[in-house]
Structures are given as structure tokens and as C-alpha cells.
Amino acid sequence: MGAFAGVDIGSVAAKAVIMNDRDILSHAVVPTRVSSERSGRMALEQALEKANLRSDDVRFTVATGYGRIVAPFANGTTTEITCHAMGAYYLNPKVRTVLDIGGQDCKAIRVGERGQVVNFVLNDKCAAGTGRFLEVVAKVFEVEVAELGQLCNTATERVPVSSTCTIFAESECISLMARGEKPENIVAGVHYSVGRRVAGLLSRVGVESELAFTGGVGKNVGMQSVVGELLGIAPIGLPGDPQLVGAIGAAIIAKGRAARG
Ligand code: ADP
């Protein structure tokens, strides 16, 4: 049996996925520490261990993500855009648009009938509208980033948050709290402002159903609701963890490259 590996080394987490010819065998997520290479390697080793495999069992490894340039353990590299399109398409072949929000950027991708990238738009100029921004907001309200979306969905109203810069938004949230606004209503305002930026990005590529929401922020239930509301199309649920979609795409590309020799 041959195995294939995809390793997505992002700004927040390194993700690894091991596949055989048909199925996903295992995965691992490791926080990206000082060394991107080390985090990527650790994720790969953990995923191999879970699948009960050794590195020799892997026929081809593709690295993606911003840390892919420092992944000497990989046989090849490819962009996250290609990987998110391919990964989402593998999980649901009806996907034609992908919204990927990770730690430091946000991408809107149009996907073709074979999982190829047709067009894409990227926002990597500023932290607002990314996972890091939501992490900063979670810290202000002393909740885990994993709970921020639930908090958002308990809001009774949205308090407008006008700052688009992370630093200003942080102090705006603090002053709104000091004014007596409820945390959940401020958090809902933050999600809405991120959602509006994201909707703007998506409208530039043109949204076609089905829409998949990938990347770590795809797990945020508050963002899922806001994106659905603003676009009038609810993102479809993909099986498994949206944060792994890039690594899944990389593993599929690894399989294709191994077959081509
Ligand atoms: P990168 O590829 O840049 O490392 P990821 O796609 O791994 O980024 O996404 C990281 C972001 O995902 C974090 O900044 C955080 O906002 C969000 N995130 C991670 N885990 C969760 C979770 N369980 N629930 C909601 N959001 C999450």
C-alpha cells in the first residue's frame, strides 16, 4: 500500500493529512511555533504515528501554506489556493466557491468542474478579517477563540464596531465594554464587520453554489451565520474539520504527482 501526505504549514497551525489511494487515514494539527519547518515535521510525524505508518511508507509528500518554502521533507510544494480548491472539491464535488479564512489572510476562490482554480482574490494586506484578528478579540473578552462564535450567536443586537485595524478594534471593544455594552453584542458587531469585508472579497470573484467555508475560521459558527446572512447562501458543511482542507488538497495533489512519476 502506498501512502501520500499533505502538510499545510500556516501562520497559526501546521496541519498534516495522510491518505491512501482512496481514504484519509489520519491527520494532526500542531501550533506553528518559532520554526515552521519543525512544526510541519511534527505534524507529519504525528499523523504518521496515528496511521501506524513510517516515513518510508509515504510515496509522495506535498507541502503548502506560507511555510512550504521551508519544508525539506516534502517532495514538492503547491499554493494554498490550489490545495483549498482541491481539498474542498474532494470533500464535496459540488463545491464551486471556497472561502478560506486562516490566521493571516482571507481568500475567495472559484472552483472549476474538476476541482481546479478558476479565479481567486486574496486579502493579505491587513489582519482585520482574519483568524488572528478574532483571536485578539477573544482575548479582550477572555474567551477561547473556539467559543467566540457561540458567544456571537447569543447576541440580542449588534453593536457597530467601526475600526478595521486590529489595534483600534481592540481598544474600541474595550471602550464599548466600559460604556456598558454586552460582550456578546460587541462580539456580534465584530463578526458582522469581518463578514462584510469577506462578502466584499467574495463578490469580486462571484459566488456560485455550493460555497464551502474552509480554514480554521470555518469552524467559527458566528462567522458561518454572518457569511450566510450577508451572501444569502449558507456555506455547506464539509465532512470533518475545515482547518484540514488545505492539507487534504495537498495530499490529493501528492497522489496525483506520484502517479505521474
Ligand atoms: P493558518 O493556515 O494561517 O495557520 P488556520 O487555517 O489554521 O490558519 O486558522 C487559524 C485560525 O482559525 C485561528 O486564528 C482562529 O481564529 C481560528 N480557529 C482555530 N480553531 C478554532 C476553533 N476551534 N473555533 C473557531 N475558530 C478557530
Side-chain angles (χ1 to χ4, degrees):
M1 185 200 76
F4 310 96
V7 184
D8 176 6
I9 309 173
S11 61
V12 171
K15 286 77 67 177
V17 164
I18 310 290
M19 291 185 76
N20 64 13
D21 273 330
R22 262 193 23 220
D23 301 310
I24 296 169
L25 302 177
S26 66
H27 69 263
V29 180
V30 167
T32 306
R33 309 226 188 265
V34 186
S35 159
S36 298
E37 178 190 343
R38 202 153 164 266
S39 310
R41 208 184 277 279
M42 270 174 67
L44 180 58
E45 281 166 9
Q46 286 185 17
L48 282 170
E49 204 178 313
K50 286 188 197 166
N52 229 346
L53 293 172
R54 291 173 304 126
S55 52
D56 292 353
D57 298 319
V58 178
R59 282 180 53 200
F60 208 99
T61 301
V62 164
T64 189
Y66 101 118
R68 66 182 180 276
I69 43 167
V70 288
F73 52 84
N75 306 99
T77 61
T78 194
T79 70
E80 301 107 280
I81 295 154
T82 303
C83 290
H84 276 269
M86 187 52 82
Y89 176 82
Y90 166 82
L91 294 169
N92 186 336
K94 290 190 185 139
V95 169
R96 290 294 171 272
T97 313
V98 173
L99 166 65
D100 164 35
I101 312 185
Q104 67 176 10
D105 62 19
C106 172
K107 307 175 189 82
I109 310 163
R110 278 289 294 277
V111 182
E113 284 172 6
R114 287 170 290 107
Q116 80 278 22
V117 176
V118 173
N119 189 13
F120 71 92
V121 186
L122 175 70
N123 162 30
D124 62 354
K125 298 254 162 13
C126 135
T130 68
R132 283 271 190 222
F133 179 74
L134 294 169
E135 284 183 34
V136 168
V137 172
K139 273 214 180 76
V140 171
F141 295 101
E142 295 176 353
V143 293
E144 294 295 323
V145 74
E147 297 160 21
L148 199 66
Q150 280 99 314
L151 186 62
C152 166
N153 285 354
T154 62
T156 48
E157 61 178 288
R158 284 181 186 134
V159 176
V161 176
S162 55
S163 309
T164 48
C165 162
T166 308
I167 309 290
F168 292 135
E170 187 181 4
S171 50
E172 190 177 350
C173 287
I174 295 167
S175 5
L176 288 168
M177 254 203 307
R179 223 174 63 191
E181 298 289 358
K182 290 200 176 111
E184 60 272 29
N185 294 349
I186 307 170
V187 167
V190 167
H191 280 67
Y192 193 70
S193 98
V194 173
R196 281 182 42 179
R197 287 174 151 255
V198 166
L201 203 69
L202 278 163
S203 70
R204 284 165 57 200
V205 289
V207 180
E208 195 187 323
S209 300
E210 299 288 347
L211 166 70
F213 190 176
T214 69
V217 179
K219 292 195 265 203
N220 179 316
V221 289
M223 282 307 301
Q224 289 171 11
S225 320
V226 160
V227 166
E229 178 189 326
L230 284 165
L231 295 174
I233 306 178
I236 48 154
L238 295 177
D241 182 346
Q243 200 172 12
L244 294 172
V245 172
I248 293 171
I252 290 160
I253 290 160
K255 194 172 82 173
R257 291 197 188 164
R260 286 202 299 275

